Amino acid sequence: MLTIVSRGLMAAAFLALPLTAPAAAAQHAAPMPLAEAVDLLPSAVESRDGYQRTSFKHWVDADRDGCSTRAEVLIAESRTEPTIEAGCKVTAGEWYSYYDGVTLTAPSGLDIDHMVPLAEAWDSGARDWTAARREAYANDLGADRSLIAVTARSNRSKSDQDPADWTPPLADARCTYTTDWVVTKLRWQLAVDDREREALAGLAAGCGQETVDYEPAE
């Protein structure tokens, strides 16, 4: 079962922001099969009008511990004790990029991927959010799969595409990826369009063992 847990104090700092939560996300969702979770996603026509990446302030140091969001993810996801130099610069560790099954020891080869890309989030409803809520989304450490360290190559291949146009090159990763995508959209009450829903439903049909458990963003 995919269960989302807090990465620590940084998440609490963001949840303290005066954000406006969608009414549909007011209660914690019980675990459910992935296919049922897909059915819960709201539908809407997507629009990228007015999108700028700078609309989402990201890689901030919300808890003022000297570590940016990128550094926090690298530290949390390293499979070995990471090497951290002055200024919270992560210089070594061991990271597994589940999109393509690659293990890296140098953070320079890693991107921190927004599971649902910023542009896709904008298309799916974030264009109507406050700046504070977009910042919280872009730095969401309250759910382990909102942000993930993956190879730069796989992240840039994905770009801003949704599962109708891109899935991980490693076939064994696709059920996890589909679950993580659905969890993130439900957590933030982001909509899907018809092509995306059809793709997610098709993927979920082959992932019968996957279940979804998520904590709605506040």
Side-chain angles (χ1 to χ4, degrees):
M1 179 175 68
L2 177 64
T3 302
I4 294 199
V5 296
S6 173
R7 269 184 172 139
L9 295 177
M10 191 168 184
F14 275 116
L15 293 179
L17 290 171
L19 307 181
T20 302
Q27 297 182 349
H28 176 76
M32 71 193 81
L34 176 57
E36 290 184 16
V38 172
D39 290 340
L40 290 181
L41 291 165
S43 293
V45 176
E46 296 187 358
S47 173
R48 195 158 297 184
D49 290 350
Y51 171 71
Q52 295 180 5
R53 189 170 174 82
T54 53
S55 296
F56 295 81
K57 186 177 181 182
H58 53 288
W59 306 164
V60 301
D61 177 14
D63 57 1
R64 296 180 174 83
D65 66 350
C67 296
S68 69
T69 301
R70 173 182 166 85
E72 299 270 12
V73 175
L74 290 173
I75 292 167
E77 294 195 358
S78 179
R79 293 182 165 188
T80 62
E81 187 70 25
T83 302
I84 307 170
E85 297 183 353
C88 199
K89 182 179 181 181
V90 182
T91 58
E94 183 178 292
W95 296 272
Y96 178 72
S97 170
Y98 90 78
Y99 289 176
D100 46 10
V102 175
T103 298
L104 300 91
T105 57
S108 59
L110 294 162
D111 281 353
I112 304 304
D113 181 37
H114 291 92
M115 177 54 57
V116 175
L118 300 181
E120 169 68 19
W122 178 273
D123 298 351
S124 306
R127 60 186 176 276
D128 297 323
W129 293 351
T130 64
R133 188 166 181 80
R134 286 195 291 268
E135 181 176 335
Y137 175 82
N139 298 275
D140 183 14
L141 294 175
D144 281 355
R145 292 304 160 183
S146 292
L147 299 168
I148 183 169
V150 295
T151 58
R153 175 180 294 182
S154 65
N155 184 47
R156 293 166 198 183
S157 171
K158 174 187 173 184
S159 185
D160 59 7
Q161 299 174 94
D162 70 27
D165 297 306
W166 189 91
T167 54
L170 185 65
D172 289 347
R174 290 172 189 164
C175 287
T176 299
Y177 179 73
T178 303
T179 304
D180 293 347
W181 183 279
V182 172
V183 163
T184 303
K185 285 224 159 176
L186 285 172
R187 172 170 166 77
W188 289 92
Q189 279 297 288
L190 293 167
V192 295
D193 61 16
D194 291 344
R195 287 185 69 248
E196 182 182 350
R197 183 182 297 281
E198 183 179 358
L200 290 170
L203 288 161
C207 302
Q209 301 304 308
E210 294 287 340
T211 59
V212 167
D213 186 12
Y214 71 95
E215 189 74 31
E218 297 182 6

